Amino acid sequence: VSAKIRRYQSPDEYPFTSDLPDPIIPPLQYPPLLHPNQNVNVNAKIYKSYINDILPRITQNLPDKGESKENYGSTSVRDVECLQSLSRRIHFGKFVAEVKFRSEQEKITELIKKRDTEGLEKSITNEAVEKQVLQRLAAKARTYGRDPAAGADVLNSKEADKVDVDAVVAIYRDIVIPLTKEVEVEYLLARLD
Amino acid sequence: VSAKIRRYQSPDEYPFTSDLPDPIIPPLQYPPLLHPNQNVNVNAKIYKSYINDILPRITQNLPDKGESKENYGSTSVRDVECLQSLSRRIHFGKFVAEVKFRSEQEKITELIKKRDTEGLEKSITNEAVEKQVLQRLAAKARTYGRDPAAGADVLNSKEADKVDVDAVVAIYRDIVIPLTKEVEVEYLLARLD
């Protein structure tokens, strides 16, 4: 369905499957922000991480009420939403990399020519910003993962959290940010070809 | 896709279209909570309200940046999510009506036999609870519709609201609650047939 409404022609949406049907609506002319000679897609890695690493981290402390067969359908709908959101967020790295390339074109061109992946990763890393991202994420996970209409006594306790805030932050730190950097570096390596 | 993963065999999911494909996974045995002789589905009304009443209320004060063609795809994905969530919430009325029927079986049976829709609506209305629902809803719209990581100065101003909280409350009061009551009354009228 997503392919049929041309989701994967949008430069910020990447499919997890191939052999997709053609859109039933005419194509759009998106502004050419990204370099045309790249086709980076890390969805296979995202999928593997989601199953083997992300899901265990956020589900291991849940009461077992979610495990009954009756919940498989709604759970898989949410899984698809989560996967597509993660994919979108991680592939945004391409736009970030493009902006960085344009602002430091000479230096980065040099690194690309030398295939210096370590140097490229260093040039796109900003630890202060990463720290800020994780703090914002913790605030969002804590706020959106609670019922704001619960009593003040509940809201001030950790029991109010529907999702483990520390686990969400760790997932971003250990998986989402590294995969985003991988997208950025791969994009840059393809940037000159 | 939803039909293929048996979403519409779940007693809390109702399709907006007909001629759906068969699920590709085997059916489940849900506990028979609802009376089998009812098939209430107000999705046609929900769809009409969504287009003509709900969308104008929440979009009229938006800056026009959302109106470009490039956003049609992602917007329609969210529309489907909103419609299905509204439908789920409104058809929950069946479960509420069933509980009310079981707790006041004699009185409600009498009203059903007399086809007294006004009396039925009165018997399922609890104004104190409705008021509470609207207050909870306002708290949720205000909290979830803001970036909790924004500065305190922004968070204390109305500009922080990504959605018009009063409009959300009005939509519930004027559309969602009345449609839910309609589902409850229709369900009860079919309860004895």
Side-chain angles (χ1 to χ4, degrees), chain A residues 7 136 143-144 146-148, chain B residues 74 136 143-144 146-148:
Chain A
R7 289 286 59 218
R136 284 173 55 91
T143 308
Y144 298 148
R146 286 181 174 186
D147 179 353
Chain B
S74 45
R136 284 174 55 91
T143 308
Y144 298 147
R146 286 181 176 187
D147 179 353

Side-chain angles (χ1 to χ4, degrees), chain B:
Chain B
V1 178
S2 292
K4 284 193 183 167
I5 56 168
R6 75 177 171 217
R7 289 285 60 218
Y8 303 120
Q9 297 190 345
S10 176
D12 60 346
E13 298 279 354
Y14 294 85
F16 278 82
T17 49
S18 49
D19 281 335
L20 294 164
D22 287 328
I24 52 174
I25 41 182
L28 290 175
Q29 218 41 48
Y30 287 97
L33 297 172
L34 299 178
H35 195 264
N37 285 352
Q38 60 79 32
N39 209 5
V40 181
N41 181 335
V42 297
N43 277 348
K45 283 187 184 176
I46 294 172
Y47 184 81
K48 223 174 131 183
S49 276
Y50 186 73
I51 302 289
N52 299 324
D53 203 358
I54 294 178
L55 280 185
R57 290 195 200 204
I58 51 176
T59 56
Q60 66 185 352
N61 294 322
L62 288 182
D64 66 357
K65 64 184 174 195
E67 283 178 22
S68 66
K69 283 189 297 192
E70 288 78 5
N71 289 321
Y72 288 176
S74 45
T75 306
S76 62
V77 171
R78 299 293 167 243
D79 284 334
V80 170
E81 277 175 28
C82 288
L83 283 166
Q84 210 64 53
S85 297
L86 283 166
S87 171
R88 204 158 165 263
R89 168 64 177 73
I90 288 167
H91 289 97
F92 273 155
K94 294 188 186 186
F95 296 92
V96 176
E98 179 65 27
V99 168
K100 281 178 180 160
F101 178 84
R102 291 186 195 179
S103 66
E104 293 184 273
Q105 195 151 350
E106 266 180 62
K107 183 187 150 195
I108 292 181
T109 301
E110 200 61 31
L111 292 167
I112 296 172
K113 281 186 179 155
K114 284 194 271 174
R115 317 303 289 170
D116 182 355
T117 54
E118 214 171 298
L120 283 170
E121 190 170 327
K122 219 170 149 186
S123 79
I124 56 168
T125 298
N126 185 331
E127 276 173 24
V129 168
E130 281 176 24
K131 213 176 140 187
Q132 221 173 21
V133 165
L134 294 177
Q135 280 166 349
R136 284 174 55 91
L137 181 73
K140 287 187 178 182
R142 195 168 291 114
T143 308
Y144 298 147
R146 286 181 176 187
D147 179 353
D153 48 328
V154 177
L155 281 178
N156 290 325
S157 77
K158 230 192 132 113
E159 276 156 59
D161 293 332
K162 291 185 204 164
V163 65
D164 181 342
V165 174
D166 296 336
V168 172
V169 171
I171 286 165
Y172 251 67
R173 188 191 58 222
D174 302 343
I175 302 167
V176 176
I177 291 178
L179 276 172
T180 306
K181 283 189 194 174
E182 195 176 316
V183 166
E184 293 184 43
V185 171
E186 278 192 44
Y187 174 84
L188 289 173
L189 287 172
R191 181 70 180 74
L192 296 186
D193 288 349

